[in-house]
Amino acid sequence: MNETASNTAGTDRRTFLQWLISGLLLGAFAAAANVAVRFLMPPPKAKKATELSIPTAQIPLGSSLVVEHKGEPVIIVHSDVGFVAFSPICTHLGCLVKWVRDENILLCPCHAGKFDLTGKVIAGPPPEPLHPVKFEIQNETIVLV
Ligand code: FES
């Protein structure tokens, strides 16, 4: 092998190694950038994972439903005023209220605490209104957020 052929082979090897190192560095940079972006931006579905969807047909007019949402009970009532949702935990001593359709109230069976469908105390010992639960109605589905 003459000197020119040897130099050409050396240059080819050097060029190949430069491309290989550049590719590896670019790959490492892309991986690091990906990790940084994931760290800085929360996944878009993280908040949605806490949502609970219930078809409105599951709670016909004049009925109520108790579901668990974020580890807590929620009572959803469908009355003439539409849908309302509260924590059914009575603000007196923590018993679970039930909807009494005939009186259109939420009644605590423990000490006869009564709440209207805005959650306001209308009778009995509860010191505070029921805690409302936020929801949206989307395409005939109640979405607890
Ligand atoms: S616990 Fe509800 S009224 Fe006492």
Side-chain angles (χ1 to χ4, degrees):
M1 182 183 308
N2 64 29
E3 192 172 307
T4 306
S6 176
N7 282 344
T8 303
T11 302
D12 287 346
R13 245 179 292 165
R14 214 172 300 126
T15 302
F16 173 74
L17 287 174
Q18 286 172 342
W19 276 102
L20 182 66
I21 291 169
S22 297
L24 290 173
L25 288 175
L26 189 62
F29 177 76
N34 185 22
V35 169
V37 167
R38 285 175 179 231
F39 177 76
L40 294 173
M41 298 180 66
K45 297 216 173 200
K47 190 171 182 182
K48 300 277 183 192
T50 63
E51 291 181 354
L52 177 65
S53 298
I54 304 149
T56 55
Q58 204 173 325
I59 314 169
L61 182 64
S63 68
S64 66
L65 179 70
V66 176
V67 296
E68 186 177 314
H69 179 53
K70 297 179 184 174
E72 297 289 332
V74 175
I75 186 167
I76 304 167
V77 176
H78 187 184
S79 72
D80 293 336
V81 299
F83 290 94
V84 293
F86 295 98
S87 164
I89 299 172
C90 180
T91 55
H92 181 221
L93 295 176
C95 294
L96 297 181
V97 301
K98 296 179 190 273
W99 184 51
V100 180
R101 181 180 176 180
D102 295 341
E103 297 179 51
N104 205 24
I105 61 164
L106 293 153
L107 172 68
C108 179
C110 293
H111 310 104
K114 294 180 180 178
F115 305 85
D116 68 16
L117 288 187
T118 66
K120 184 178 129 195
V121 180
I122 54 175
E128 296 176 26
L130 291 174
H131 300 290
V133 174
K134 289 183 181 176
F135 67 94
E136 298 168 357
I137 297 179
Q138 303 169 353
N139 301 323
E140 299 183 16
T141 301
I142 297 170
V143 180
L144 300 176
V145 292

